[in-house]
Amino acid sequence: MRDASLWRALLGVDAAAVIEGVEFNQDTDADGSLGGVLVAHVRPRRAKRGRCGVCGAPSSWYDPGEDRRRWRALDLGVVQVYLEADSPRVRCAVHGPTVRQVPWARHGAGHTRAFDQQVAWLATQCSKSAVTQLMRIAWRTVGSIITRVWADTAAGIDQFAGLRRIGIDEVSYKRGHKYLTVVVDHDTGRLIWAQPGRDRETLGRFFDALEESSPGRCAQITHVSADGAQWISDVVAQRCPQAVRCADPFHVVGWATEALDVERRAAWNNARRAPGGTYGNGPGHGPQGRRHDATGRARGLKRARYALWKNPENLTTRQRAKLEWIAKTDPRLHRAYLLKEGLRVVFQLPYDQACEALDAWIAWARRCRLPSFVELQRRITKHRTSILAAIEHGLSNGRIESINTKIRLITRVAFGFRSPEALIALAMLNLGGHRPTLPGRT
């Protein structure tokens, strides 16, 4: 094997690069271990005819540039490796004077393509500390690299191809009410789009991108599932009026659970105010500087939360006894529990039966004399069509919630991200169906 071929293989560059020479500076660490820096002097072939570093279009010579540049390459054992080359500029018809394209690195990057590829793969497999220590780079640098790799990946694929049934939701990624709007393909389970924000304008950008990818694709969307948020419903109705809108069953039952908890807290407060409902127990913030703990019936209601929330088939023996006690001592709260369970049962019925059951539930809630459920039935009536569509087509936001959980896990493993763009890029690489591979592997 010729030396040039060997060095190209070791440095991770292809035949488009010419290796002019190699320098090695050895040093010794504080613990006595050997290390050093290897600098390979390289240049691209066909130097007389350059290409624009941004678009790759053939361009004429402009000037020799400012100075030689270095790109970090993959380490050789414990030795750091750099590629060094001139950085002349060419005159692009579109981008003007631009640094010439080089075959071993992306435009504007300080690392080779092989280095970027390995960092992106590690970021999808390892924790933040493992990536930074192994590759000897800062976490901010990792964010920049995965953003570049995803942009390069996205440019070579059609992310919206064959899109028919989608789910839309938002996920918090940072304190201070920072959210991402995410869109998932129901048929493949892939994350197909994510952007910072959770409003009409943000979601509108998804449909803009969908239509720009190929005219008429918005009209090809057949089903959209969401949590019932008005900003989602409004945009979907405007941009995809033909799509069947499905309300997520989990969120609908969650509305009933919230209404039930309102009634539970009201019952607990009424029981505390009744004679014998509390007793003084040491210093606190109550009257006369004493803490007043619940007792008797108020104490029992305070501890009934999980018995009221859980599905009947998952109740323990003590929780079943607690529900029986509530049925005997507080018929109003028990009625709220039955309303919550009645709405949950609607989603377990076939479509024809569910239509009748939902109408019966709405009529029951309308006359139940429980303010929270009277308000809930108005909300259910408003979303009746999308609720029944979810039952008919068997769609929910389960896939989307799974994606949201994985995005939260990515954020937690990384100890947060400086910018949402880096989080989105890593989420798309992890969950978008196009995971990076190690350099030299297929």
Side-chain angles (χ1 to χ4, degrees), residues 101-145:
Q101 184 184 70
V102 294
W104 54 81
R106 295 176 174 87
H107 181 68
H111 310 85
T112 64
R113 290 180 179 272
F115 190 95
D116 284 357
Q117 195 73 8
Q118 179 155 310
V119 170
W121 183 88
L122 287 170
T124 63
Q125 305 290 331
C126 306
S127 65
K128 166 186 175 180
S129 58
V131 179
T132 54
Q133 291 182 28
L134 178 63
M135 303 305 294
R136 294 191 274 197
I137 54 178
W139 183 243
R140 291 185 185 178
T141 306
V142 176
S144 300
I145 288 175

Side-chain angles (χ1 to χ4, degrees), residues 213-285:
S213 66
S214 181
R217 279 189 169 173
C218 287
Q220 296 175 1
I221 300 296
T222 60
H223 298 78
V224 178
S225 70
D227 59 6
Q230 191 61 45
W231 61 274
I232 297 178
S233 300
D234 291 345
V235 176
V236 172
Q238 178 184 2
R239 305 299 295 271
C240 295
Q242 79 292 338
V244 176
R245 295 187 289 280
C246 303
D248 178 44
F250 177 82
H251 283 87
V252 175
V253 175
W255 300 343
T257 303
E258 292 171 2
L260 171 61
D261 208 43
V262 170
E263 297 300 328
R264 183 194 63 81
R265 289 195 300 268
W268 177 65
N269 286 324
N270 291 335
R272 287 179 68 247
R273 297 188 188 101
T278 59
Y279 69 95
N281 185 22
H285 300 287

Side-chain angles (χ1 to χ4, degrees), residues 146-196:
I146 58 179
T147 302
R148 285 199 301 268
V149 172
W150 169 245
D152 208 21
T153 302
I157 61 174
D158 186 356
Q159 193 73 0
F160 303 127
L163 199 59
R164 296 294 181 271
R165 305 192 304 166
I166 62 174
I168 303 171
D169 202 1
E170 75 275 357
V171 58
S172 173
Y173 71 92
K174 194 176 184 180
R175 291 180 180 178
H177 300 286
K178 303 294 185 181
Y179 290 88
L180 297 180
T181 296
V182 299
V183 181
V184 176
D185 186 349
H186 273 295
D187 297 316
T188 63
R190 294 185 295 108
L191 175 65
I192 58 172
W193 188 87
Q195 283 292 313

Side-chain angles (χ1 to χ4, degrees), residues 306-380:
Y306 295 108
L308 293 167
W309 282 358
K310 289 176 70 174
N311 296 338
E313 61 272 17
N314 298 329
L315 292 172
T316 65
T317 302
R318 293 183 63 179
Q319 288 170 340
R320 293 180 190 276
K322 178 69 72 174
L323 282 180
E324 293 175 359
W325 175 79
I326 291 174
K328 294 177 181 178
T329 60
D330 197 327
R332 182 184 179 91
L333 181 58
H334 189 249
R335 192 187 323 144
Y337 169 76
L338 294 177
L339 280 162
K340 186 267 289 187
E341 285 302 311
L343 184 59
R344 190 175 70 87
V345 169
V346 170
F347 290 97
Q348 302 173 1
L349 299 175
Y351 175 72
D352 294 338
Q353 298 178 24
C355 294
E356 298 178 3
L358 184 61
D359 290 338
W361 186 92
I362 291 173
W364 180 20
R366 186 178 293 129
R367 63 176 188 274
C368 70
R369 293 177 293 177
L370 301 173
S372 61
F373 279 91
V374 172
E375 180 62 29
L376 175 60
Q377 65 85 22
R378 296 193 185 101
R379 194 175 185 183
I380 296 294

Side-chain angles (χ1 to χ4, degrees), residues 55 60 95 97 307:
C55 63
S60 60
H95 301 99

Side-chain angles (χ1 to χ4, degrees), residues 52-55 59-60 62 89-99:
C52 172
V54 178
C55 63
S59 305
S60 60
Y62 183 72
R89 294 193 296 174
V90 295
R91 188 191 302 274
C92 177
V94 177
H95 301 99
T98 310
V99 176

